[in-house]
């Protein structure tokens, strides 16, 4: 019975997110910012990040011009996976994010320790990196969106 509940809850949550994404054409900066935060937090957690420190709590609308706004969010952590080499950590982050949500890697500026991923569906961009051995850093921002 417990296993069944463990499967039902995530499926129900995912279905709710998909239905809300279909019913509205564009989220507000706050809505997209919450999705961004969830994707980053889940990725770090599932990639075995420890000592997680929020370095940009987001939660505020950043003006883009033309009445649109964006949100940001960033964390850093220690990595508990593999040998701790930066390339392996970044690869683990990319794989974990890919399992969590629909993101595509951006070609420009990618190195083995620095990757950018975007999601048209969620209106977000995330930078996944391992700036030094055993370290995780993830930064993200939403697209510029109307407040509605």
């Amino acid at each position: 019975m417990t296993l069944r509940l463990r499967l039902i809850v995530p499926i129900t949550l995912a279905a709710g997110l998909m239905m809300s994404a279909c019913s509205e054409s564009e989220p507000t900066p706050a809505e997209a910012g919450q999705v961004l935060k969830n994707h980053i937090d889940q990725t770090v957690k599932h990639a075995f990040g420890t000592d997680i420190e929020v370095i940009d709590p987001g939660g505020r609308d950043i003006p883009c011009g033309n009445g649109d706004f964006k949100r940001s969010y960033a964390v850093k952590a220690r990595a508990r996976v593999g040998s701790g080499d930066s390339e392996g950590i970044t690869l683990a982050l990319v794989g974990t994010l890919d399992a969590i949500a629909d993101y595509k890697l951006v070609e420009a500026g990618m190195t083995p320790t620095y990757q950018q991923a975007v999601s048209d569906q969620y209106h977000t961009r995330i930078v996944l990196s391992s700036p030094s051995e055993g370290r995780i850093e993830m930064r993200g921002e939403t697209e510029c969106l109307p407040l509605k």
Side-chain angles (χ1 to χ4, degrees), residues 19-102:
M19 287 175 62
S20 67
C22 293
S23 65
E24 295 181 25
S25 60
E26 206 170 64
T28 64
E31 292 165 342
Q34 186 59 47
V35 169
L36 174 71
K37 179 184 182 309
N38 289 340
H39 289 168
I40 289 174
D41 287 346
Q42 287 179 28
T43 300
V44 171
K45 176 184 170 192
H46 292 297
F48 302 105
T50 63
D51 302 327
I52 299 168
E53 179 184 344
V54 176
I55 53 179
D56 176 1
R60 63 182 174 82
D61 294 324
I62 302 165
C64 300
N66 296 331
D68 289 344
F69 296 85
K70 65 182 177 179
R71 294 264 177 126
S72 62
Y73 182 73
V75 300
K76 65 181 181 178
R78 293 175 43 93
R80 288 188 299 155
V81 294
S83 64
D85 73 286
S86 293
E87 289 182 22
I89 290 169
T90 305
L91 183 61
L93 291 171
V94 168
T96 303
L97 178 62
D98 186 49
I100 289 171
D102 184 24

